[in-house]
Amino acid sequence: MDSIIVTGGAELSGRIPIAGAKNACLALMPATLLSDEPLTLMNAPRLSDIKTMTLLLQSLGVEVTAMQDGRVLTLSSHALTSHRADYDIVRKMRASNLVLGPLLARAGHAVVSLPGGCAIGARPMDIHIAGLEALGAEIELRDGYLHAMAPGGLRGAVIEQRFASVGATENVVMAATLAKGTTVLKNAAREPEIVDLVQCLRQMGARIAGEGTDTIEIEGVDRLGGATHRVVADRIELGTYMIAPAIAGGEVELIGGRRELLPSFCEKLETAGVTVTQTNDGLRVARANGRVHAVDVKTEVYPGFPTDLQAQMMALMCTAEGVSVLEETIFENRFMHAPELMRMGARIDVHGGHATVTGVERLRGAPVMATDLRASVSLILAGLGAEGETQVNRVYHLDRGYERVEEKLSACGARIERVRGE
Ligand code: EPZ
């Protein structure tokens, strides 16, 4: 297994291109199941999660062609050969469950493995199931798989989600595009990735309004066509690299970054003493002077502070001036980066959903272990400012969500290298 070695102390200066959003692309790709015409996605990120979704769709009979070194994907599902998403794929990537809604709408039948738990939590699917059953699906759990049927097709309904689940919103919206009648989805997720998916579905001929608000209305149509769509910039990659100069010092310009993708996060960084400037090309980020100040953070659904940036913010708070409290409200177990940061000298007390961080002058490099996608990158960020060498192991987690992180950071002066494991 590969590891990444960071030698701290180098200030950063340069430009980092922001890739297409993993979490938008993982919803856009299954949308091809809704139509028998080709869907082309531009600006696709080159990540192992995209490869996993490609394999899953191919197992259903979808033809997937990658061009321009994986940046352009053309997907065509004119002849589906299976309706089953197997456990061995779904357990590796929860987003595999996003084939459930489209398969049901297109074929009236889907067998999707429950994802099982993952490092950050149990991750049930009750909100997905409630929404699809409201559309008329019959769903039964058997031998670890959801067996979903809608032999007579789906019909529109008024649905209120108990929680604004991102994945459930995506599954229900995609399914509703081909339902008979109108669907009103209340307490819908508002994330930019949802907006991106709806804009693509609209290009395919779907009739949808309200994306980006908590109520999305979908008027079912008989069929959808093809489309060509450019994947929105990845706001989590953007936020991750905004933290890098805040920890290491210097100034970095994030190409393709837009402030409106991360409203709460940008405000928090500025309160902590980081300057964020929108330029024509993207976001320019610099640490104002010396140590940042401690700020409190509470993760919330969009447009609140993103849970996917909580670990990265914790890495910054480890060397902030003062005490900060980070409250994680979205997942039940998303502080596994804390013990690893403590190996580097961080002072963190975790109690339930709260982590209290007392800033220290500087962390010290150490061998640390990545446990999930965002925890792994927070350890690299911490290493940028630490004294000495930090070795982050199990970086396969990292490659799920970040393109060539060592290349992007070393291009800005970071001392970072990937060591190939056995
Ligand atoms: C999406 O996951 C993202 N993944 C996650 O990013 C992100 O952390 C999450 O949204 C929250 O923003 C993709 O888009 C592929 P949820 P998703 O349904 O859809 C509970 C990353 O690092 N819940 O909004 O699975 C659930 O357990 C990943 O890129 C139910 O209880 O998130 C969790 O506690 C990690 N029942 C909370 O809601 C359900 O039926 C948020 O889940 C569904 C969810």
Side-chain angles (χ1 to χ4, degrees), residues 361-405:
E361 189 76 28
R362 201 168 180 203
L363 297 181
R364 290 181 307 282
V368 287
M369 183 73 71
T371 51
D372 69 83
L373 168 56
R374 307 304 175 182
S376 52
V377 83
S378 78
L379 299 172
I380 287 180
L381 293 172
L384 292 176
E387 200 173 307
E389 199 173 85
T390 299
Q391 174 162 341
V392 181
N393 299 306
R394 290 193 183 174
V395 290
Y396 60 86
H397 290 292
L398 199 65
D399 296 335
R400 293 189 51 178
Y402 292 93
E403 269 188 19
R404 312 180 335 276
V405 65

Side-chain angles (χ1 to χ4, degrees), residues 22-24 26-27 49 93-95 97-98 120-129 162-168 170 189 191 193 235-236 300-302 306-308 329-332 334 372-374:
K22 165 178 86 80
N23 291 348
L26 290 174
D49 269 10
M93 186 181 68
R94 172 182 170 79
N97 64 22
L98 293 173
I120 60 179
R123 308 196 71 182
M125 284 188 63
D126 60 298
I127 305 171
H128 298 245
I129 294 166
R162 71 173 177 81
F163 172 80
S165 157
V166 171
E170 290 164 341
E191 276 70 3
E193 294 74 34
R235 63 195 170 96
I236 305 303
E300 294 172 300
V301 295
Y302 191 87
T307 175
D308 292 349
T329 71
I330 304 294
F331 288 102
E332 61 265 33
R334 203 169 195 178
D372 69 83
L373 168 56
R374 307 304 175 182

Side-chain angles (χ1 to χ4, degrees), residues 32 66 85 94 138 262 270 347 391 393:
T32 187
R94 172 182 170 79
E138 291 153 24
L262 288 170
E270 288 172 321
R347 290 178 55 196
Q391 174 162 341
N393 299 306

Side-chain angles (χ1 to χ4, degrees), residues 224-241:
L224 292 180
T228 296
H229 176 78
R230 179 178 172 78
V231 181
V232 68
D234 191 323
R235 63 195 170 96
I236 305 303
E237 186 193 30
L238 171 64
T240 299
Y241 286 123

